[in-house]
Each structure stands twice: as C-alpha cells, then as structure tokens.
Amino acid sequence: MAADVHESGGASGAEPRPDTNADREGVDHEGADREGADVEFLALERELTVFLRRARASSGEMARAVHPDLEPAAYGLLVRLEEGGPQRATELAAYIGVGKATMSRQLRALEELGLVARDPDPVDGRASLMRLTEEGRARYRTVRDARRAKYVQHLAGWDRREVAELARLLGQLNDSGDSGDSGDSSES
C-alpha cells in the first residue's frame, strides 16, 4: 500500500503526527487555531480521513478475498451476520445505515454468490431471516483470521491495554450515534 501523506508533510509511519498542544505556531493556549477551529478536532478529522481511506481500501481487499465478485460495501453484512446471527433485512439496513432498496440489492447479490441464504422468520411467516451459508461462513472466517493476523503484526509494538483502549474508543465513537455525516454520502 502506498504511504499516505499527512498535512505534516510526512509519510505515514515515517514521522510522528503533529501533536495537538498549544505550543505550535498559530495556536492559542485554549486549543484553537487562529481561525477559531479546535486543534484537537482538526487532528481528529485528519486522522479519521486517513483511517477511513485505508479502511475502504482494506474492505475492498477483504471483499475480493471472500469472493472476487463481492462488493466492498457488502462485506460488512457478512461481519454482522457472523456476529449477530440470522437477521431481517430491515434490521441489517438499520444497523449498516442504508435504505431498504440498497439492502435488498446487496442481499440479493450475496445470495447469488452463495454466501447468504434466506429462511422464513419463525415469529412472522411473512418475513425472512438472512443467514450466512456454510460456504459464506467459511470464506468470511478465512479472511477475518488473516485480517486479525495482520492487525497483530501491525500493532506488535503496542501494549495490549492500548489495543483494548483503541477498541473501546472506536466502539464509543460508533455508539455515539449518527452524526449526520458518516464520511460516505453514497448508499452502496
């Protein structure tokens, strides 16, 4: 993967990111730059932009590893079905944050690839529950395990408590609700 260049001018991993303290030029001691923006939130935006760019690329790679015809956006459905078990399409759409039409299209594509199957909902015979097929589960787990091995290797220098704290903070960010801007305006 090519190195990402940050506002600091360095390549990722090549030099530390600028810190967010008030010792930098153009920053007052209240944490705001000359234009009044909070330095911490500017740093957060910069780092999330890089993180999301890398996550999109990684999602595409993982989707292709599961199946060459799998759309990157549909990979998250496999994750959700593995973790949460069989679910209605409406539940999946709400969790992922897409409309019913988009969810229907993605689920249909996953069914055609043999990765998910549709079963009658035992509670409401008019509805269906989507589940991973054995093939879908096996392919997903192979990719997930390879991805975890990469995380372990990439974060080998981190203390396990730091990894746990990062996971906790990302969970808190995800749980904070829909901010109105997920960084992706498309419904794919």
Side-chain angles (χ1 to χ4, degrees):
M1 177 185 300
D4 290 310
V5 176
H6 301 275
E7 289 177 13
S8 64
S12 64
E15 66 182 63
R17 310 274 197 286
D19 66 22
T20 58
N21 66 24
D23 295 332
R24 294 184 313 157
E25 182 179 324
V27 177
D28 68 22
H29 290 282
E30 297 297 319
D33 69 7
R34 288 189 183 133
E35 286 124 27
D38 291 323
V39 174
E40 295 83 2
F41 287 98
L42 291 172
L44 175 64
E45 179 182 19
R46 178 183 60 249
E47 297 306 324
L48 280 175
T49 299
V50 172
F51 179 77
L52 291 171
R53 184 180 328 122
R54 289 179 177 169
R56 281 189 200 99
S58 177
S59 182
E61 292 170 10
M62 290 182 297
R64 286 186 297 280
V66 169
H67 192 285
D69 297 328
L70 181 63
E71 292 182 32
Y75 181 82
L77 294 173
L78 301 179
V79 174
R80 183 65 179 169
L81 289 170
E82 170 71 1
E83 292 176 351
Q87 296 173 55
R88 290 183 178 186
T90 53
E91 294 170 325
L92 291 167
Y95 180 80
I96 301 290
V98 298
K100 292 178 189 177
T102 297
M103 183 55 56
S104 293
R105 181 181 56 77
Q106 289 180 349
L107 290 171
R108 193 169 34 257
L110 289 170
E111 281 183 286
E112 290 171 5
L113 295 174
L115 302 173
V116 301
R118 188 179 304 263
D119 295 324
D121 185 338
V123 176
D124 181 354
R126 300 169 296 172
S128 297
L129 294 177
M130 303 306 298
R131 65 171 173 79
L132 286 174
T133 62
E134 287 307 312
E135 176 75 9
R137 179 170 283 107
R139 287 176 175 247
Y140 165 75
R141 285 180 176 175
T142 298
V143 172
R144 178 199 61 196
D145 293 347
R147 181 188 65 215
R148 278 204 189 132
K150 280 186 174 180
Y151 289 159
V152 169
Q153 180 183 11
H154 187 71
L155 299 176
W158 288 39
D159 183 281
R160 291 242 177 202
R161 290 174 299 214
E162 291 173 317
V163 175
E165 179 66 1
L166 176 60
R168 186 191 70 75
L169 290 170
L170 287 172
Q172 183 177 335
L173 179 64
N174 287 332
D175 290 344
S176 67
D178 183 12
S179 66
D181 179 19
S182 63
D184 183 9
S185 60
S186 67
E187 223 189 63
S188 29

